[in-house]
Structure formats: C-alpha cells, structure tokens
C-alpha cells in the first residue's frame, strides 16, 4: 500500500518537535570527532590566567591557540586580570603560545576532550634578559699613562733616555701627576747619574768652578752642583711650570713634510709648545724654567763663580739655542737611533 506508507511518513515528520531533523547516514562513513569543530555537542573551551614573576596579572599578552599541524589557530589577548579564554574549540591535542613585551615566550600544551572546559594551569611569564652591548673605553688618563709607559722605553742606542719625545702626533695631554712622574723617571735614571758624573769629571779636569777645589771633595761638589742644575731644570721646566701653566713639556716629533718645514718646526719648538688644550702657544715653561734654574744655581756655586742677572739671561738664551739644536737632532737623527719607538698611533678615547 504505497499511498498509505507515504501518508504515514508525512504524518510522522509533521509530528516531530520544531527544529529537529532526521538525517540518514550510511554506516561506516562517520568522520573522527576532531574533524567536526562546528558541532556544538563536541566542541569545548580553554581558559587560563597569565601572571608575571611577582604573581601580578599580565594584561595584553597575546595567546595563540593552534592545533593539528599548527596551520589552524586562534588568537586572543589577556584581559586586565590576566585571563584569557577560547570557546568552540575542537577536541583533541592543542598548543598555546604566549608572548608579551618584556617577557620571554611561554608555551603550554594539552588534550581537550569532547565538550570539556579545560583550565590551563597558571602561566608564569619570565622576564626577558636584556642584551646590552658594553664598550669599554679607556679614560684619557689611562691612555696618557700608556703613552708615558711607551716613552719610558725610548732610549737612544738602547741606553740614553729619550723620554721627553712623543712620536704620537695626537698624544693625550698629561695631567700634573703624570708630568711629575716623567720628571722623576728622568732624574733618577742611572744614565742621568752617569752623564752627570762625566760632566763633573770634565769640569774638574778643566778646573771649572775653582772654588770647589780638587780631589774627591772637589769632584763631589761639582757632581752635586751639576746634578742639582739638572734636577732643577727638569722639574721646573718639565713639571712645575707645565702643571701651573697647563703646557705639555714634550717635543712632538713631526717626521713628515719637506726638510725645510721640519727644520722650521724643530727650531720653533724651542720657544713654542703644545698646551694641554691642544693649541700651540709660547713655551713659557721652558723659557722661564731655564732662567729659574740659572738663578737657583747661584745659591750653591762658589761666590767667585756665581753669575749675575746679565749672565743668567745669557745662559737662558743659550739654553733656548741648545733646545733648538736638540730638536733638530730629534727630527732628523735621534729617532733613527732610538729603540722601542711606537709603530702606530693609538686610538684616542
């Protein structure tokens, strides 16, 4: 009775509750539950809380939920309480990736069961370690100290000190302590004592400063006077006045340009010098130092050999001429004979 069957089927469908549908499906073709994320009977939810190392809530953290091969994902931001949640999540394995500015990336994973409300254990963010590039730059004092150490190795023929010459064109100015250090190293060098002894021997042989007499006593007085002159000249012209007037007592080797320019440079350096500010200026330290040393020598020379003011000024001019001659030798000869000369300019701070 085909007509009766159709009428009964139609009546049965009309009596079903509103919204309920019957669908036929062949047996053996059903798909896994995880492939039906839209099915409200199978989907679940995932929620959790994000905090920092002090247990304070982390707001605005980006939470990424991915599953499968991670090509499918959702993202949410944590609220002011550090909480986040995902709804209508397909059951199965999932991964959470949490990122936030100032923190290292955190990850969490789990398996969501069908219809489950999964609560992720509290996620504590770790502070990101700041990578800071630190450049250690030596101070000007340290650079100047290194340059002094290099100068103190400079010796003509490996013997005679050549400490007051800088082969660095842009040498760092010395502070007062370093100027006195250079003067001290010069005056106590064994070669300085040897040269002073030789000068005293020549003076005794020529009977200079006859008031000192002869013999060991006369030689000792000549040696003491000669060494006192050397010390006074070195400290006054190389340390005391340069510190007060902020001038550099060193000769700065030129080493380039025409011979004429180098000769003029060497001669000019007998009356000019570099200031601690790097500018050239009259060498008051050298000029006044020579005059002061000559005046002090009148305190210990025999009365008949003491120089008057006129002779002192003459000796000062002679000293300037000697400085010019020594500078010429420094520029054209002494460097070739000096060992341990720096090979390159150091980097300034």
């Amino acid at each position: 009775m085909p007509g009766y069957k159709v009428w009964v089927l139609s009546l049965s469908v009309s009596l079903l509750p509103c919204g309920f549908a019957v669908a036929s499906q062949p047996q053996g073709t059903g798909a896994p539950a995880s492939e039906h994320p839209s099915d409200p009977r199978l989907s679940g939810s995932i929620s959790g809380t994000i905090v920092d190392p002090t247990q304070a809530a982390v707001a605005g953290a980006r939470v990424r939920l991915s599953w499968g091969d991670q090509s499918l994902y959702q993202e949410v931001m944590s609220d002011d309480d550090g909480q986040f949640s995902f709804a209508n999540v397909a059951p199965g394995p999932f991964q959470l990736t949490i990122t936030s500015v100032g923190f290292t990336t955190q990850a969490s994973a789990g398996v969501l069961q069908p219809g489950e409300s999964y609560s992720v254990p509290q996620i504590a963010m770790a502070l990101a370690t700041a990578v800071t590039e630190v450049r250690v730059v030596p101070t000007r004092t340290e650079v100047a100290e290194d340059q002094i150490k290099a100068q103190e190795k400079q010796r003509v023929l490996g013997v005679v000190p050549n400490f007051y010459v800088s082969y660095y064109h842009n040498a760092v100015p010395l502070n007062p302590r370093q100027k006195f250090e250079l003067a001290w190293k010069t005056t106590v060098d064994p070669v300085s004592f040897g040269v002073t002894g030789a000068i005293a021997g020549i003076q005794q042989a020529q009977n200079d400063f006859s008031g000192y007499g002869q013999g060991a006593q006369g030689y000792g007085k000549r040696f003491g006077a000669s060494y006192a002159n050397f010390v006074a000249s070195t400290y006054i012209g190389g340390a005391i006045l340069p510190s007060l007037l902020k001038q550099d007592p060193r000769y700065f080797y030129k080493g380039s340009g025409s011979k004429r320019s180098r000769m003029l440079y060497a001669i000019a350096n007998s009356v000019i010098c570099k200031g601690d500010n790097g500018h050239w200026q009259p060498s008051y330290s050298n000029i006044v130092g020579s005059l002061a040393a000559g005046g002090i020598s009148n305190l210990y020379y025999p009365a008949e050999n003491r120089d008057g003011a006129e002779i002192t000024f003459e000796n000062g001019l002679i000293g300037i001429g000697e400085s010019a001659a020594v500078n010429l030798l420094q520029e054209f000869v002494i460097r070739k004979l000096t060992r341990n000369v720096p090979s390159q300019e150091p980097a300034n701070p």
Side-chain angles (χ1 to χ4, degrees), residues 10 12 23 34 66 128 142 190 227 296 315:
S10 299
S12 299
S34 60
S66 57
E142 292 172 336
Y227 186 71
I296 292 174
N315 289 338

Side-chain angles (χ1 to χ4, degrees), residues 29 44 49 66 72 89 118-119 122 164 184 195 198 215-216 220 245 304 333:
T29 60
T49 304
S66 57
L72 301 175
V89 181
Y118 189 98
S119 180
Q122 187 180 70
Y164 273 94
W184 165 256
V195 172
L245 302 176
E304 63 270 23
V333 179

